[in-house]
Every structure is written in C-alpha cells, then in structure tokens.
Amino acid sequence: MVTSEEGELFFKSPSNEPVVCGIYMIAEPDKRIQVTFNYLDVPCDNGGLVAWIDGWELSGQVWPADSWDDERVVESCDRRPQHKLVSRQNAALVQYRVPAKGKGFAVTIRHLKNSKPCNIMLFGAEGVYTLRNHGETGNCSVIAISPSVVRVLDLNVGQTVKKSGILYLETGTLHRCTKRGLADYVDIGGASGLDHTRMEVFDSMCGLDSNEARRSILIACEDTVVRLVSSGKFQNSVTLAFAPLSVENIEDADLICGFNEV
Ligand SMILES: *[C@@H]1O[C@H](CO)[C@@H](O)[C@H](O)[C@H]1NC(C)=O
C-alpha cells in the first residue's frame, strides 16, 4: 500500500504465509517521515521480520541509491525499535513479513518539516518544484514515479559562488557541461526503476538562465528523473514544472526508456 497520510496504522497477519508486504509512505517534498512503533508482536521464527527503510525499495532497486548506507535499514522482530525513526527525505517504507496468524504491529506516521530537502519523490504529483544543493557537495534528485512532461523554469547551476554579493550575468542554458570541464550540472531523463543512478539521460545542462525553457521534455519511462550533481563550490538550484505524460503523447516522447538497450 502507498499512503500520504499521517496517523496510526495497525497490521494483523491474516495467515501463516511468509508474504512480504510494505507500507510505502510519501509526504510533501519539504517533509520528512517519522515512524514510531507503538507495538510490535512479530515472532522471529519462520522468518518473521519488520524493517524500517529510510527510502523506498521496489523490485530489488532502492531510492535514493547514491546516498545509500546501512543506517537506512533497521530490522527487528520480537522487540520494537525504541526510538522514533525519521527519514532523510519525503519517502520511507515499512516492510514486513509476519508468518504467524494474528500477530502484527502498530505504527504512528508523522510528517516533519525538512528545511533542506535534497532528494524528492513525486507520486502522481503535478506542480512546480525546486531542487537545490544548499551549497553542499553531492547529488540531489527528483524522481517522479510516472512518465512525465518536464519543463525547466529557472536554472542556476555552476554559477553562483557561495557567500558572495556579486551579481551574475545570464549565461543562458549551456549543454554538455562535463565536456566543457564543468563539475556542476543537471541531468534530465528517466529510469526503469527506482535506482536513479542507472538513469538514461536525455539532456544535461548548467548555466544561469531565468527564462523558462522554450519547450518541455517528454519522458516516457517508468520513472522520470532530474539529478543535480554539485561540486560544493556553488549554490545550485533548478526549478521544474512536472505534469503527467498522456498516452497520446508517448509517440512524441524525447526519451523512451529501454529503447536503446541491446
Ligand atoms: C554524484 O554523481 C556523480 C556523477 O554521476 C558521481 O560520480 C558521484 O560519485 C556521485 N556522488 C555521490 C556522493 O554519490
């Protein structure tokens, strides 16, 4: 199940089958997810398990893959995690396998403010989003779990040096930035799963451009991905408008995932 709600959820196993299920939680882009286990009665025998995952996992792929570490997974059975679990981004997951009829657990889900969102997941979302590195080194991304139409409304990547009052000149949108030796850029494309590090890139850009892009990019992939790569030397931001890609527009798509695979 997928939920964007706050509140309490109970799970009671209907059978002794070792089925793996998940509560996929999602919140607004500027929120984090907090889960508290109020109650947990899952016997460890027969592989009974409840796991908190700071991110999403689906078909063996995780998100956000490029900032994954062991701390993102907390597994338990028998004893409930005592502390509150808080995600680093607006999506998290509780995965469970309770092969004991009548056994289960209860969680309370809360959405907390995230003042520096880096990785953002959009679930059927339409709207305008700004991706920022907050002056830091590393990669931030937006992943929309749907084929989408993306338009760049504002670009400021690899230009604004941190903590300086200088006014910068518009360079316009530059393409193939890595070939020009620039370390900061935005990739726009798609992926056939949650792992955005395996994304197919349609366009890569950097520069300072406050004019809305002349045209939208149509991404016909399971997931639409925009990835901001930052050296840490600049305050980068990119503002994007997302809309669903309609079935009629698929044939006009700029990128169809899996099409160039051998
Ligand atoms: C960020 O992305 C770049 C380019 O894909 C990659 O070389 C680098 O390892 C990534 N950084 C992290 C922290 O994952």
Side-chain angles (χ1 to χ4, degrees), residues 31-130:
K31 295 283 169 68
R32 297 171 188 267
I33 291 169
Q34 174 188 279
V35 162
T36 316
F37 279 87
N38 303 320
Y39 158 86
L40 191 142
D41 179 20
V42 174
C44 297
D45 19 300
N46 308 325
L49 195 67
V50 176
W52 151 262
I53 294 153
D54 178 5
W56 274 23
E57 190 271 322
L58 199 64
S59 314
Q61 292 193 22
V62 294
W63 178 85
D66 60 359
S67 57
W68 202 260
D69 53 45
D70 291 343
E71 280 165 33
R72 285 190 181 263
V73 181
V74 176
E75 292 184 342
S76 50
C77 53
D78 275 354
R79 286 179 56 220
R80 72 184 171 96
Q82 294 300 312
H83 57 281
K84 288 173 176 163
L85 301 152
V86 180
S87 67
R88 290 174 229 179
Q89 64 293 308
N90 70 323
L93 165 67
V94 171
Q95 243 177 5
Y96 52 94
R97 182 174 53 213
V98 186
K101 192 169 190 268
K103 300 290 183 182
F105 61 91
V107 288
T108 298
I109 304 168
R110 289 273 172 264
H111 296 170
L112 311 178
K113 181 85 189 150
N114 184 357
S115 56
K116 286 186 178 179
C118 171
N119 289 300
I120 299 172
M121 181 182 282
L122 308 176
F123 196 81
E126 184 167 3
V128 173
Y129 304 93
T130 301

Side-chain angles (χ1 to χ4, degrees), residues 66-67 138-139 185 227 229:
D66 60 359
S67 57
N139 306 322
Y185 57 92
R227 191 155 167 268
V229 176

Side-chain angles (χ1 to χ4, degrees), residues 56 64 66 68 98 177 187 205 209 236 244 246:
W56 274 23
D66 60 359
W68 202 260
V98 186
C177 310
D187 281 342
M205 57 185 76
D209 195 341
N236 294 328
S246 60

Side-chain angles (χ1 to χ4, degrees), residues 170-189:
E170 297 252 331
T171 58
T173 301
L174 310 173
H175 298 271
R176 287 181 288 169
C177 310
T178 41
K179 289 219 175 77
R180 296 167 189 250
L182 304 168
D184 295 53
Y185 57 92
V186 185
D187 281 342
I188 300 180

